[in-house]
Each structure stands twice: as C-alpha cells, then as structure tokens.
C-alpha cells in the first residue's frame, strides 16, 4: 500500500528542498530566531522553486507534485528552520484549500500569487479567543447585505497574520454549532481588518503569530468559499492535510536535533572516551532513531493515502499525535545529550526544543487528535 522509495518527482522535490534549505535557510536560522526576523527572502526562494504550492496544480502556478512530495519538502525545510517551515506549511494549506474548494475565478486570482511569492504568505483564520479546540463555538459572524457580506469578530493565533496576502476566514452565517459556519476569502489589507500584536512566543520566533480584528469588513458575494453553511467541513478537511504538514515539520526538527546529538556524542569526551560510548546515551539515541523512523512511516502513509484520494483523517491524526510527541522527546533528549551546552544558544539544541514544543498544540492538540482517532476506532 505504500512505496518506501520516493518516485522521480518526489525525489526531485526532496532534493531541491534539501539543497535550498541547507544552503540558504539553515545559515540564517539562528539569526531568524534571535532577531524574530520574518524570513521574507527564504520564503521567496522557496516560492521560486515551487515549494509554496507543492500540491497545487501547475495550471494554478503550483508544482503539482502531490502530498508525499510536499511532506518530504516540509521535512527538509523544517530541519533547517522551523519558523520558515511553518510559514511554508500554512501557505501551502491555504493554496490547496482555495484550489480545492474555490471557484475557477477564486483559484485563478489567489493561487498563483501564493505560489510565486507575490504574497509572502497566506493565512488560515479559524481559531478565536474562546474557540480553539472547539471551532464550532466561534463567534465571528458574517451578515448578509446587498451584494455581499459584512464580517465582524476576532481571530487568534493567526500564523502570518501580519504578512498574508489572503486570509481564509471562517464566520458564522447561520445558527449555532458547526452547521452555521461559512468560509470567506478576504484579501490582506481589507478595510476594517486590523492586525493585533505579534505574540511573543517560546519558539518559532521568526514566524509571525497575530490576532485579527474584523470590524465591518465588507466582502462581495463571490468571496464565499464553498457552500453557504459548509465552512466547518472545509476547515476539517483542510486541517486533515495540514496535520500531515505539521507532522512532517516535527519530523524535520527532530531529525536536525538527533543528527546534532549524534555528532556531539561522538565528539565530546568524558571519562577518557566519547560520551557516545556510554550505553545510557546509546539507548537515548536508539529510542530517538526508532521513533523518528516510525514517525516518517506514519507521515508518508497518511500523505500517500491523501494523494490516492482515500479517506485519511484518522491516519493524519495518528501521524500528527505520534510524530509530534516523539519529536518532543527526541529534541528533549538532544538537549540532555548536549549537557550544559544544550541549554545555551551556542548550539541549536535549545532552539529545536523551543520550536518543536508547539507542534503538539497547533493544528489540533494531541488531545484533539486522540478524539479523532478514538471516534473512528469506536465507530
Ligand atoms: N472531514 C470532513 N468532514 C468532517 C471532518 C473531516 N475530517 N471532521 C468532521 N467533519 C464533519 C462531520 O462529519 C460533521 O458533519 P455533519 O454535521 O454533516 O454530520 C461535522 O463536520 C461536524 O463534525 P463533529 O460533530 O465531529 O464536530 P465537533 O465539533 O465534534 O469537532 C473535532 C470535532 C474536535 C475533531 C474538531 O472540532 C477539531 O478538529 N478541533 C480542533 C480544531 C483545530 O485543529 N484547531 C487548530 C486550528 S489551526 S492552528
């Protein structure tokens, strides 16, 4: 059911991402983190290589390389810089959702600009201060007016909120619950849309995270994405794919952490020999190695199923919960292996641990993933 060897296209995308990430992203990663610098140049470089719309068709400006190629590219970029990777992840997700659910006019307007870097990023505006794990409780509302809609409300935790060229925005158009929610496309800089403060995060400090206030934002009728009242399902389907992306991101971060920990264990000597000669460290490395491979297999299985067009929600959640929790363990062990050097900025281990921490939280917490898995198992 799954090929373990990437095909020619997947290998090309992987190698392209690897070489760009190692040459142009990795050398800047520490400074991007330290200076909280939004990685404009790195994102434009990724766009020039087709990596901001990997799974969007070439007719819409994308690479058309599929979900597996996207996951492989995400692992490479995240290994170099997790902040750049999350911005890439959300932009890819926005392009995919517009290509899949948009009218031809909507897709032709927005997808090429997301793909070619005309927009530095796209944003996904679902969460609210009182509606995080439970987006069905959202309060942001769109009111019908002649020729369009007027949106009022507040969104929170919006990745690239300050830079996005287009926002996919969920708002209530009907009664309470998940059935009363619709989805809209709102251009960056729309009148009445203001971007709140940039959150001072533990990690992913080069990625922008902001709140958004919609104060009478007027959009035309053709800004509605998909069916009226069909917004919640669009969000869930987009998140299924997004969860594969975050799984891949966590795998990339953990790969960097483990490789650096192994190099350090071979180099650092205590008691007259490399610390990697001690079984205590060998067991940590062995556990990390096995967990990382298991994560990769779960991620590639979910991506393969998505690419084949079969239901993959459960597999995406299994991949996300397992790989992000494993990645946290792996990054934590990497700090431990580095000893005191793991706790200072001279080595990247501490950055990996800060960056990876959020992966069990965003795009659905570990607890939400377990709800999805358990519901399907018990059905
Ligand atoms: N694909 C397609 N449709 C889906 C779906 C999916 N993956 N998941 C749910 N739906 C549909 C259901 O079939 C149901 O349809 P009907 O009303 O026709 O029966 C509808 O959506 C409502 O589903 P459900 O009743 O399961 O919704 P819940 O409110 O119970 O929510 C969870 C379920 C918890 C899984 C959902 O709210 C969730 O994913 N929460 C986390 C949100 C998140 O990831 N936030 C992070 C945002 S990005 S930082």
């Amino acid at each position: 059911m799954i090929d373990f060897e990437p095909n020619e296209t997947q290998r090309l995308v992987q190698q392209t991402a690897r070489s760009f990430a190692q040459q142009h992203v990795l050398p800047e990663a520490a400074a991007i983190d330290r200076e909280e610098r939004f990685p404009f140049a790195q994102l434009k470089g990724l766009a020039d290589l087709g990596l901001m719309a990997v799974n969007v068709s070439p007719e819409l400006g994308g690479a058309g390389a599929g979900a597996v190629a996207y996951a492989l590219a995400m692992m490479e970029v995240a290994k170099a810089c997790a902040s750049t990777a999350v911005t890439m992840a959300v932009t890819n997700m926005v392009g995919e959702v517009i290509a899949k659910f948009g009218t031809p006019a909507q897709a032709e307007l927005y997808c090429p600009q997301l793909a070619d870097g005309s927009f530095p990023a796209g944003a996904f505006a679902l969460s609210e201060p009182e509606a995080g794990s439970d987006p069905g409780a959202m309060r942001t509302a769109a009111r019908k007016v002649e020729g369009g809609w007027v949106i009022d409300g507040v969104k929170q935790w919006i990745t690239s909120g300050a830079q996005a060229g287009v926002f996919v925005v969920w708002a209530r158009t009907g009664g309470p619950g998940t059935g009363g929610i619709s989805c809209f496309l709102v251009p960056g800089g729309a009148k009445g849309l203001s971007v709140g403060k940039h959150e001072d995060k533990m990690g992913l400090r080069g990625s922008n995270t902001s709140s958004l206030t919609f104060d009478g934002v007027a959009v035309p009728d053709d800004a509605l994405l998909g069916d009226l009242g069909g917004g919640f399902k669009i969000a869930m389907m987009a998140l299924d794919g997004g969860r594969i992306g975050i799984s891949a991101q966590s795998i990339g971060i953990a790969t960097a952490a483990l490789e650096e920990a192994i190099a350090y264990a071979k180099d650092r000597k205590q008691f007259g020999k490399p610390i990697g000669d001690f079984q205590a460290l060998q067991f940590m490395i062995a556990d990390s190695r096995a967990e990382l491979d298991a994560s990769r297999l779960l991620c590639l299985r979910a991506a393969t199923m998505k690419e084949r067009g079969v239901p993959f929600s459960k597999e995406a959640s299994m991949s996300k919960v397992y790989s992000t929790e494993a990645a946290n363990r792996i990054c934590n062990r990497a700090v431990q292996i580095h000893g005191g050097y793991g706790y200072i900025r001279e080595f990247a281990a501490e950055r990996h641990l800060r960056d990876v921490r959020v992966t069990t939280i965003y795009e659905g917490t570990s607890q939400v993933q377990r709800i999805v898995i358990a519901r399907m198992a018990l059905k």
Side-chain angles (χ1 to χ4, degrees), residues 149-313:
W149 298 85
V150 175
I151 305 174
D152 285 288
V154 177
K155 295 288 175 181
Q156 187 145 354
W157 315 124
I158 308 307
T159 300
S160 308
Q163 290 84 14
V166 61
F167 295 86
V168 186
V169 180
W170 280 265
R172 193 164 289 293
T173 51
T178 56
I181 293 168
S182 299
C183 187
F184 296 89
L185 297 176
V186 178
K191 193 159 173 285
L193 169 58
S194 49
V195 181
K197 77 172 165 58
H198 164 59
E199 300 293 351
D200 187 8
K201 304 191 298 291
M202 173 184 189
L204 298 184
R205 292 182 66 80
S207 147
N208 171 267
T209 307
S210 306
S211 60
L212 302 174
T213 301
F214 293 79
D215 186 5
V217 175
V219 293
D221 277 327
D222 62 11
L224 179 71
L225 182 76
D227 295 334
L228 188 63
F232 189 82
K233 286 183 194 174
I234 294 178
M236 291 299 112
M237 285 189 257
L239 284 170
D240 283 344
R243 287 165 185 168
I244 298 175
I246 299 307
S247 169
Q249 185 204 21
S250 73
I251 293 165
I253 301 169
T255 304
L258 178 57
E259 285 182 8
E260 290 158 21
I262 291 171
Y264 186 83
K266 286 158 93 170
D267 185 55
R268 168 80 170 169
K269 290 195 179 64
Q270 290 291 276
F271 305 101
K273 55 183 178 179
I275 57 173
D277 283 1
F278 292 98
Q279 200 175 48
L281 268 76
Q282 290 172 359
F283 280 12
M284 289 163 83
I285 289 168
D287 286 347
S288 296
R289 186 69 263 166
E291 290 172 18
L292 196 52
D293 270 21
S295 300
R296 280 184 80 89
L297 293 174
L298 284 172
C299 183
L300 293 176
R301 177 180 70 164
T304 301
M305 291 174 73
K306 179 181 173 191
E307 196 159 307
R308 290 187 184 163
V310 297
F312 66 97
S313 305

Side-chain angles (χ1 to χ4, degrees), residues 76 79 97 134 145 151 282-283 310 312 322:
E76 296 299 333
K79 186 179 166 196
V97 81
D134 181 16
V145 294
I151 305 174
Q282 290 172 359
F283 280 12
V310 297
F312 66 97
Y322 183 82

Side-chain angles (χ1 to χ4, degrees), residues 118-157:
S118 305
F119 293 157
F124 194 86
L126 179 70
S127 298
E128 298 186 2
E130 304 294 330
S133 290
D134 181 16
M138 74 175 59
R139 292 190 198 156
T140 295
R143 179 168 42 90
K144 186 75 189 92
V145 294
E146 179 75 34
W149 298 85
V150 175
I151 305 174
D152 285 288
V154 177
K155 295 288 175 181
Q156 187 145 354
W157 315 124

